[in-house]
Each structure stands twice: as C-alpha cells, then as structure tokens.
Amino acid sequence: MGSDKTRFGLDETRIPEAWYNVMPDLKNPPAPPLAPDGGPVTPEDLSVIFPMECIKQEMSPDRWIDIPGAVIDVYKTYRPSPLLRARQLERVLGLPEGVKIFYKYEGVSPAGSHKPNTAIPQAYYNKAEGITKISTETGAGQWGSALAIAGALFGIDVEVFMVKVSYEQKPYRRILMETYGAAVHSSPTNLTDAGRHVLAMDPDSTGALGIAISEAVEVAAKDPKTHYSLGSVLNHVCLHQTVIGLEAIEQMQLADEEPDVVIACVGGGSNFAGLAFPYYHRKLEGKSHARLVAVEPKACPSLTAGEYRYDLADEAGMTPQLLMYTLGHDFVPAGIHAGGLRYHGDSPLVSQLVREGEVEAVAVDQTACFAAAVQFARAEGILPAPESSHAIRTAIDEALAAQEAGEDKVILFNLSGHGHFDLAAYESYLSGKLRDFDYAAGTVLHEE
Ligand SMILES: *Cc1c(COP(=O)(O)O)cnc(C)c1O
C-alpha cells in the first residue's frame, strides 16, 4: 500500500464542483438561531446584513450545493491546495513504516490561510445582489485580509474594523488589507454610534472584538448597499470550507491511503469543518472509519470545558444566539498567540457533532504547540501559523501513541495557514518567554 510520492493531485480539474452540506446527514435536525432577545430569526431579519444566497445555504436541506463558475475561476489561482506526506517529519520522529503523517496545506492561498475559501464566494454573492460594500471586523487581521483580497477581485469595497490594540501592535496585516484597497479603521471609531458610545465612556479604549463587530454590523444595518460578513462559525462558512476535505479525499486516494484519524484546529470551527465534514460523509457511505479530532487551546477550551447551550455569537449582542459549546459570550481568553482560536464559542454544526459523539475534542497548551511547530518547520520547511500548530501537536501525539502501541496509523491533518505574520510569537517562544495559561471558568485571565 502507499506511494513513494510526497505531493498529490495538483491538477486544476480536481477542484470540486459542489460544496458538501452536512446538515441533511446529521442524526438530529440542527437547532435554529434565535434573536438576541430569544425570539425566532427569519430570513428577512438576516437579509439586512447577509446576501440571500448565504442565508439559503445557512438553512439548506440540500446535501450538495453547486459552486458558482466565477468562484471556481478564482479558486483556480491557488486550488487544489497541496496534500503532502510529511516524510521528513516522520524520519525526525523515528516513526515505523506503518505510521504515516499527511497534511493538507491551506497556506498557499493569497491570504496565507483557508479563509479565502469563504471570503471569495461571500464577495461573489454580495456583488451578484448589487451590494457595493462589505463591512467586517478583524482581530489579528487574518479574516480582514482574506476579505480585502476577495473584495478587490470582485470589485466590491471592504471596510474593516480592526481592534485598536492589534491595529497598533500588528501593522503588517493592516498594510496588507490597505494594499488590497480595503479601508481599515482602528476600533472603537467615532464613525458609528457603538464606537462613539465606547469612546464617550473610555476615550483610551484599546477595543475588543465585540466592539468591532458592533461597529461593522451597524454600518451594514444602516446602509442598504452594505452587507456584513463573518469568517467562521456560521453554517454557510463551514459549507464553503468543505473544498478542503473534498479535495483531500481524492488526494488521499492518489496516495493510496485512507486516514485513520483526521485532525484540525478549532477557533470558530470552519477549517475543521472544511476537512472533517466530507470525511463524516465518507464514513456514512461506509468508505472511511476515520476518527475526527478537533483541537483547541487549553486557554480557550470551549469544546472540552464549555457548556452546550444557546449563547450570543458576539460579546455585544448584535448577532443571533446559537446553540453551541460556549465559555460564555463575555469570556475573555488569555492573550495566547493563536489569535484565531480565541473565540468563546464554536460552530453550531461542529458543536452538535461533538455532542452526538461523532467528533472528539482535545485541548493543548501553547508552548507544546510551538515546540511542535518549530519541529515541523525544521523538518518540512513550512512555518506554520500558531493556530495550525495545534493540529500539528495532536498529529505528532497520535503518531507517537501509535508507535508506542506498535500499531499502524495513517494521520491526516489540516495545516490551516502559514506563520509569516506571526514572527513575534516565534521570537517569544525561541527566547523562552512564552507561557501556558490555565482556564478557569468565568474568570478573566490576565494578558501576556
Ligand atoms: C482564523 C484561523 C483559524 C481559526 O478559524 P476556524 O474558523 O476555526 O478555522 C485557524 N487557522 C488559521 C490559519 C486562521 O487564520
């Protein structure tokens, strides 16, 4: 079994023609979103801020949803993303023949992560509905830069509210967004009621993701030509990301292997959904027996330590309530470097699959993740994003456990992005300054 090759399936004809929607395949029907006050949410409510096509996808009963040709054309600039076998990492770890590690690499996109997989169709659907501007929030800037690129490609303005502390401390992602033509504001701003309200109370506010969301939603709600866009958590975002897993299934077949375990990190859940949902379907078809493993930081362990209940999707209460694993919408995680994993909740679909026992969840410490990331970089040559290092940690742990037990195991993980904008985090690790944080329910942990 297996092939001698390292890299599998880069022919553009292998880009999927339809996304996979997991909703009709769930054991229980997915729970609907609720308004912030607990009432029902109608498609009309959502249409103020989202395009109709995304709202339909959010609730669709169809298993396969066609990817528009214009979206496939843009996907072609970086898809199919490579699937690689981590041969040198296997050697460094001293793994036996039967223990193999494969990874799907999403860092080849123009933004350096999986996020353009949904930014591109979201920009396309908004443009098709006559929307001229998309507003959004960004923390460290990964989502903002993906949307800025998609906006530039489809000729639609992008306005980003970037949390002030990141705006000041992490200028490179801001410059990237501005280079693609996006307008980037340091949030809180005096452009919105929400921002002015915060500044009136605290003129020196350093901002927060919840405030930035409120500003971006307000801009969209007040202008009929402006919509709002989210880069994770929601069902349509998970749907768009399934190109990752659909490609991976074909590429693993070219490698002549079926994974025993499929691993990805979880912030809001979208890159995990992207790789794992197509494998969930493959299991239902009887063609796979893979365990599906979601990895989160110990400092923000919503799946492993959160409660399963309705909670607000944002701190400010501007967005609907979702049934999910949550640490509480007012939980402020410690300042770990994997900024993309610092979300208090999780995708309702990923949460439901954990609840139903279909997905396993584990939590890992950030120093152990950086150790794995550095080991990976030195073996495979790719510098991982701090978020992705959580998947690498767990992939290595799975490999070592198999070796220990004398078992064969084929491991597949998602390398969700590269870490070229995260060098300050690597410097902190290399100089021994990085530390771990314990999660304590309901408490606000101090920042690094
Ligand atoms: C944003 C981000 C994540 C976390 O988001 P998910 O929606 O959970 O996938 C993970 N990795 C990278 C590189 C990111 O940019």
Side-chain angles (χ1 to χ4, degrees):
M1 273 284 277
S3 140
D4 290 339
K5 285 175 24 190
T6 298
R7 191 168 170 138
F8 302 93
L10 287 168
D11 182 341
E12 72 172 37
T13 57
R14 292 184 185 279
I15 297 177
E17 286 169 7
W19 292 299
Y20 167 63
N21 175 20
V22 77
M23 282 187 276
D25 288 335
L26 294 172
K27 282 187 204 153
N28 301 290
L34 298 178
D37 66 7
V41 176
T42 65
E44 290 67 43
D45 295 337
L46 296 173
S47 69
V48 177
I49 54 172
F50 293 120
M52 228 359 148
E53 208 53 46
C54 292
I55 296 167
K56 277 194 222 151
Q57 293 173 356
E58 197 61 24
M59 312 172 175
S60 174
D62 301 329
R63 183 170 291 114
W64 300 102
I65 295 178
D66 284 346
I67 307 177
V71 169
I72 292 183
D73 284 345
V74 180
Y75 276 172
K76 279 179 187 168
T77 60
Y78 67 97
R79 305 211 71 84
S81 67
L83 181 113
L84 299 129
R85 177 149 172 209
R87 288 189 183 276
Q88 187 57 22
L89 180 66
E90 291 172 6
R91 277 185 211 112
V92 169
L93 294 171
L95 299 179
E97 255 322 71
V99 183
K100 299 168 187 171
I101 304 177
F102 291 84
Y103 60 100
K104 181 78 169 151
Y105 183 41
E106 290 296 311
V108 295
S109 85
S113 77
H114 63 288
K115 289 194 171 75
N117 297 337
T118 185
I120 292 162
Q122 290 196 48
Y124 167 78
Y125 289 129
N126 276 298
K127 181 74 177 183
E129 288 185 18
I131 290 299
T132 57
K133 184 165 89 181
I134 305 176
S135 65
T136 197
E137 76 287 340
T138 199
Q142 286 158 319
W143 170 239
S145 39
L147 198 62
I149 293 164
L153 295 177
F154 285 104
I156 188 162
D157 292 342
V158 172
E159 186 168 6
V160 182
F161 291 85
M162 185 171 189
V163 179
K164 185 177 176 186
V165 58
S166 302
Y167 184 95
E168 288 175 352
Q169 287 175 5
K170 297 180 181 168
Y172 292 119
R173 284 261 172 208
R174 167 176 63 76
I175 297 164
L176 188 65
M177 290 185 263
E178 289 172 345
T179 305
Y180 287 114
V184 186
H185 310 297
S186 170
S187 167
T189 71
N190 53 23
L191 301 170
T192 65
D193 289 344
R196 281 188 292 269
H197 178 72
V198 172
L199 290 175
M201 307 215 304
D202 177 9
D204 299 322
S205 165
T206 54
L209 211 49
I211 299 169
I213 293 176
S214 305
E215 293 207 89
V217 172
E218 185 182 325
V219 165
K222 283 186 173 164
D223 177 1
K225 289 279 188 199
T226 299
H227 271 165
Y228 169 70
S229 171
L230 263 179
S232 187
V233 181
L234 298 182
N235 303 349
H236 69 272
V237 179
C238 294
L239 172 81
H240 300 156
Q241 292 295 352
T242 59
V243 287
I244 302 172
L246 294 169
E247 288 176 5
I249 286 174
E250 280 208 41
Q251 290 166 312
M252 286 301 290
Q253 285 178 281
L254 292 174
D256 221 354
E257 300 284 358
E258 273 296 328
D260 298 302
V261 54
V262 170
I263 301 166
C265 68
V266 173
S270 73
N271 89 89
F272 175 81
L275 182 64
F277 286 4
Y279 273 102
Y280 174 78
H281 180 249
R282 194 165 175 78
K283 289 175 75 173
L284 294 180
E285 290 181 314
K287 295 180 187 163
S288 168
H289 54 264
R291 293 162 49 222
L292 309 175
V293 180
V295 191
E296 58 186 13
K298 270 200 183 153
C300 192
S302 33
L303 292 174
T304 51
E307 288 174 32
Y308 189 65
R309 63 174 168 87
Y310 270 100
D311 194 13
L312 295 165
D314 68 306
E315 198 187 319
M318 300 288 293
T319 54
Q321 297 191 63
L322 305 172
L323 181 59
M324 59 183 173
Y325 281 100
T326 176
L327 298 167
H329 62 271
D330 49 3
F331 174 72
V332 180
I336 54 165
H337 285 287
L341 306 187
R342 294 176 75 227
Y343 181 62
H344 67 272
D346 267 306
S347 142
L349 295 176
V350 173
S351 295
Q352 183 172 336
L353 286 166
V354 170
R355 186 77 176 174
E356 291 173 352
E358 301 292 338
V359 166
E360 298 168 34
V362 294
V364 287
D365 274 322
Q366 75 166 346
T367 52
C369 291
F370 272 93
V374 169
Q375 191 170 38
F376 182 86
R378 290 176 187 175
E380 294 293 312
I382 298 171
L383 186 81
E387 291 83 0
S388 319
S389 74
H390 291 66
I392 301 174
R393 175 74 268 158
T394 302
I396 292 176
D397 290 346
E398 286 281 343
L400 296 177
Q403 180 183 34
E404 182 85 19
E407 286 165 2
D408 287 353
K409 196 188 273 182
V410 177
I411 298 160
L412 170 63
F413 75 89
N414 195 38
L415 188 61
S416 53
H418 69 62
H420 294 179
F421 290 89
D422 302 284
L423 294 174
Y426 278 92
E427 183 187 33
S428 179
Y429 171 74
L430 294 172
S431 60
K433 288 190 200 125
L434 210 65
R435 42 176 295 220
D436 290 324
F437 296 89
D438 277 331
Y439 164 74
T443 53
V444 177
L445 298 170
H446 50 280
E447 303 273 319
E448 234 164 303

